[in-house]
Amino acid sequence: MVRPVIELINRYDAGKFPKGESYIILSSNENPYPPAEDVLKAIERSIKKVTNRYPDPEYPELKRAIAEYLEVDVNEIFLGNGISDCIYNICNALLDTLDKVTIPMPSYTMYAMYSIVRDASINYRIYPYYKIDIEDFIESVRNSKLVFLCSPNNPTGNAIPIKRIKEIVESVRGYVALDEAYVEFSDASAIKLTDTYENLIVMRTFSKFFGLAGLRIGYGICKDERVVSALEKIRLPFCINYIGAIAGVEAIKCLDYYKKIRDIIVKERERVYRELSKFEEIEVFPSKANFLLVKSENLRLAEKLEKRKILVRDVTGLMGLSGEHVRITIGKPEENNALLNALEEILS
Ligand code: PMP
């Protein structure tokens, strides 16, 4: 029999995957630009050689590249099949039945999903638009075995100031798992705090800034070697496929290319934010990520945009968001223009 708790949880909503027709896809916070030429070449070169072979399960080259990229010790790195898998493994490694897990909302739904799979007891704290009331939060995290934070946060786009993250980490006796999936689009990472705080686990991904979402490469940093060795022990031995491991190493070598793309996306984010702010019928929130959150009232924006072949994510109904909201990924300038034109039509 399937465990009742599994029957109760909702499947992760990954949005729509249109086939055939050409849509502008602004629904999954992907990077709209292609990989660097050298990344594609490395994939092409390796594909014949490695498809029938297992990768080295220790992934030494990938870990060395990440260590250099973030200026951390290679022994502080654990890997996963995307951050999603890191979240799953963290829950499996740290949570026993009824352990308290604190999650500020609205945020990414996988934290709760995998905590529930472990029969943990979830302490949701709702803060409008993820503006965490630090005193209230610190009071509420007491006795938490695990706290999930997301900065910049999905779907609100705002970042938690590093000073606040530090205060939270200091006040938690258990672990803080900080999701930095979008951090390269912002101006501040909390990675340096891992030097001081052994109970801080920072999760990162190649899916957003490095635009390798299809290859599934996630990783995390923690100073506590017991945690890193537990996470390395329980992950699937070949959790990142051979091609992904090669592409990840090459992508880090092409950092300048990705920084240029990031700068274009951030500039576009600010432009789209300004343009969206001009519509009286909607409210747009400032963002440090590669997407914007938009509030509307009974406008069914996601549906109307889809009719115009533009996909955005309807996040209406997410715990902690009241009223209709859509999350819009920043695309290439021409895609963003198409979005703005469609909204002009819908809202006029
Ligand atoms: N964390 C957050 C906050 C996300 O929004 C996403 C992607 N939707 C992920 C993690 C998943 O990242 P990955 O592709 O590395 O599994």
Side-chain angles (χ1 to χ4, degrees), residues 88-160:
Y88 186 61
N89 293 334
I90 287 170
C91 289
N92 274 329
L94 299 183
L95 297 177
D96 279 316
T97 302
L98 291 181
D99 274 344
K100 177 172 164 181
V101 179
T102 299
I103 308 176
M105 291 298 281
S107 191
Y108 193 48
T109 54
M110 272 197 202
Y111 314 136
M113 179 172 172
Y114 293 142
S115 301
I116 293 170
V117 170
R118 292 293 306 167
D119 284 318
S121 162
I122 305 206
N123 173 35
Y124 288 114
R125 305 297 301 171
I126 294 177
Y127 301 103
Y129 298 103
Y130 207 73
K131 287 185 190 126
I132 297 175
D133 172 339
I134 201 75
E135 277 170 26
D136 174 85
F137 192 67
I138 284 177
E139 187 63 29
S140 80
V141 290
R142 215 171 275 153
N143 302 324
S144 298
K145 183 74 183 285
L146 182 59
V147 175
F148 279 106
L149 299 177
C150 188
S151 185
N153 182 48
N154 175 7
T156 54
N158 56 329
I160 312 171

Side-chain angles (χ1 to χ4, degrees), residues 12 81-84 108 111 150 154 179 181-182 205 207-208 216:
Y12 173 68
N81 191 251
I83 285 186
S84 330
Y108 193 48
Y111 314 136
C150 188
N154 175 7
D179 186 339
Y182 301 99
T205 182
S207 297
K208 311 295 179 184
R216 316 300 308 126

Side-chain angles (χ1 to χ4, degrees), residues 57-80 86 191 194 200-204 206 217-233 235 240 252:
E58 299 306 321
Y59 301 97
E61 292 87 7
L62 180 62
K63 282 189 185 165
R64 224 176 295 129
I66 293 169
E68 267 177 43
Y69 170 45
L70 295 181
E71 297 171 4
V72 296
D73 192 299
V74 83
N75 299 317
E76 295 166 11
I77 299 170
F78 59 90
L79 300 174
C86 297
I191 287 276
T194 58
L200 175 62
I201 305 167
V202 178
M203 300 177 287
R204 304 279 290 253
F206 280 74
I217 316 159
Y219 60 96
I221 311 295
C222 181
K223 196 80 169 180
D224 185 339
E225 54 195 46
R226 291 164 310 173
V227 170
V228 173
S229 84
L231 291 169
E232 282 289 282
K233 182 158 62 179
R235 69 167 165 83
I240 297 171
I252 287 176

